[in-house]
Amino acid sequence: MENLAPLIAASLNAGTPLLIAAIGLLINERAGVLNLGAEGMMLVAAISGFIVAYASGSAMLGFAAGIVAGMLMAALFAWLSLILVTSQVPTGLALSIFGVGISAFMGQKFVGISLPIKAYEIPYLADIPFIGQALFHQHFMAYLGLALCAATIWFLYRTRAGLVLRSILFGGACCSLAGAYLSQIYTPMWVEGMVAGRCWIALALPTFATWRPGRVVLGAILFGGVTILQFYMQGQGVSVPSQILSMLPYAATIVVLALISRNPDWIRLNMPASLGRPFRRGSA
């Protein structure tokens, strides 16, 4: 039990960027947009947020800069795929490759520079035995991710759908928040390619959750726990090659998707009908 509370807290911390990004991508996909450019958006947001936070000393300004940068990337994707009616899959992949390159260029002078590490807690609640250590020593972005999930449930099931363009910008903003969280809170420093494929796990989460926001929370914490498990096992002296431990989150993603794919009828029943289809004005 002494090790369980820190493990839960670390899993929630590791799952937060996955949760925030996956919520944005879920909204994209419910609107019929398959955004494979999320990795590039997260990287551009991560370096933009890090630069502004480092220069200004303000994490909030860093998050704002990350959101703006990511939404500009999302707007570019929307212009290409919705206005010029390009295919969403190659457009997203091109945007992802572009984001990887430009983030590496922007971050050349910031490699190895760290931001101050701060301790976070909710007063009084953090003092509750076990629960306080497990749940209430998180950055506010972790709770924002849960609030976004609740708001998304309300939006999807209690209101009429908004415009597709707005959903893409929202998805870009969420991916940007996730990227800024990685560079400022989870790993408070810039490392080239630091997203390290997390966006592909985030892209898999809506499918894992059958495009339901509540299940995205469980999936994000589950994959976050798998990510932390590799460090926990190394700390316990488990004699497993580090390469195998590092591949655990991605192997778990493949296994889950393989299991889900065994029932294609179930996927078709839950999948958004217009997912990945070119958007044309006036089309149903």
Side-chain angles (χ1 to χ4, degrees), residues 92-159:
L93 290 174
L95 194 68
S96 185
I97 295 170
F98 172 74
V100 171
I102 195 172
S103 64
F105 175 76
M106 293 170 62
Q108 287 179 343
K109 297 180 179 179
F110 297 90
V111 174
I113 296 177
S114 300
L115 294 176
I117 299 177
K118 300 178 181 179
Y120 304 99
E121 64 177 37
I122 297 180
Y124 305 113
L125 294 179
D127 298 327
I128 301 175
F130 184 80
I131 296 177
Q133 186 179 8
L135 301 178
F136 298 117
H137 282 268
Q138 302 289 337
H139 187 268
F140 80 91
M141 288 289 293
Y143 309 112
L144 177 61
L146 298 174
L148 276 174
C149 181
T152 301
I153 293 173
W154 176 82
F155 172 76
L156 290 178
Y157 298 109
R158 298 296 180 184
T159 68

Side-chain angles (χ1 to χ4, degrees), residues 210-233:
T210 59
W211 293 274
R212 286 171 170 79
R215 297 178 186 176
V216 170
V217 176
L218 298 178
I221 295 176
L222 172 63
F223 285 111
V226 173
T227 301
I228 292 301
L229 183 62
Q230 59 178 304
F231 303 113
Y232 179 79
M233 293 176 67

Side-chain angles (χ1 to χ4, degrees), residues 51-268:
I51 291 174
V52 172
Y54 177 75
S56 66
S58 170
M60 296 304 296
L61 288 178
F63 282 122
I67 291 174
V68 171
M71 290 184 71
L72 288 174
M73 293 278 285
L76 175 60
F77 177 79
W79 178 70
L80 291 170
S81 60
L82 303 185
I83 305 301
L84 299 185
V85 199
T86 60
S87 176
Q88 294 177 15
V89 172
T91 300
L93 290 174
L95 194 68
S96 185
I97 295 170
F98 172 74
V100 171
I102 195 172
S103 64
F105 175 76
M106 293 170 62
Q108 287 179 343
K109 297 180 179 179
F110 297 90
V111 174
I113 296 177
S114 300
L115 294 176
I117 299 177
K118 300 178 181 179
Y120 304 99
E121 64 177 37
I122 297 180
Y124 305 113
L125 294 179
D127 298 327
I128 301 175
F130 184 80
I131 296 177
Q133 186 179 8
L135 301 178
F136 298 117
H137 282 268
Q138 302 289 337
H139 187 268
F140 80 91
M141 288 289 293
Y143 309 112
L144 177 61
L146 298 174
L148 276 174
C149 181
T152 301
I153 293 173
W154 176 82
F155 172 76
L156 290 178
Y157 298 109
R158 298 296 180 184
T159 68
R160 296 184 182 275
L163 295 175
V164 175
L165 178 60
R166 291 180 183 175
S167 78
I168 292 179
L169 294 180
F170 177 77
C174 286
C175 290
S176 305
L177 273 176
Y181 182 88
L182 281 173
S183 65
Q184 295 184 66
I185 307 301
Y186 184 70
T187 304
M189 62 185 301
W190 166 251
V191 177
E192 184 178 328
M194 66 182 305
V195 172
R198 285 181 175 87
C199 94
W200 302 113
I201 297 178
L203 274 166
L205 277 176
T207 305
F208 168 81
T210 59
W211 293 274
R212 286 171 170 79
R215 297 178 186 176
V216 170
V217 176
L218 298 178
I221 295 176
L222 172 63
F223 285 111
V226 173
T227 301
I228 292 301
L229 183 62
Q230 59 178 304
F231 303 113
Y232 179 79
M233 293 176 67
Q234 289 174 346
Q236 295 298 313
V238 178
S239 57
V240 179
S242 59
Q243 293 84 355
I244 293 179
L245 294 176
S246 298
M247 64 181 271
L248 282 178
Y250 311 100
T253 304
I254 294 172
V255 170
V256 168
L257 291 178
L259 292 174
I260 291 175
S261 299
R262 295 178 63 186
N263 190 347
D265 293 334
W266 181 71
I267 292 179
R268 284 194 295 268

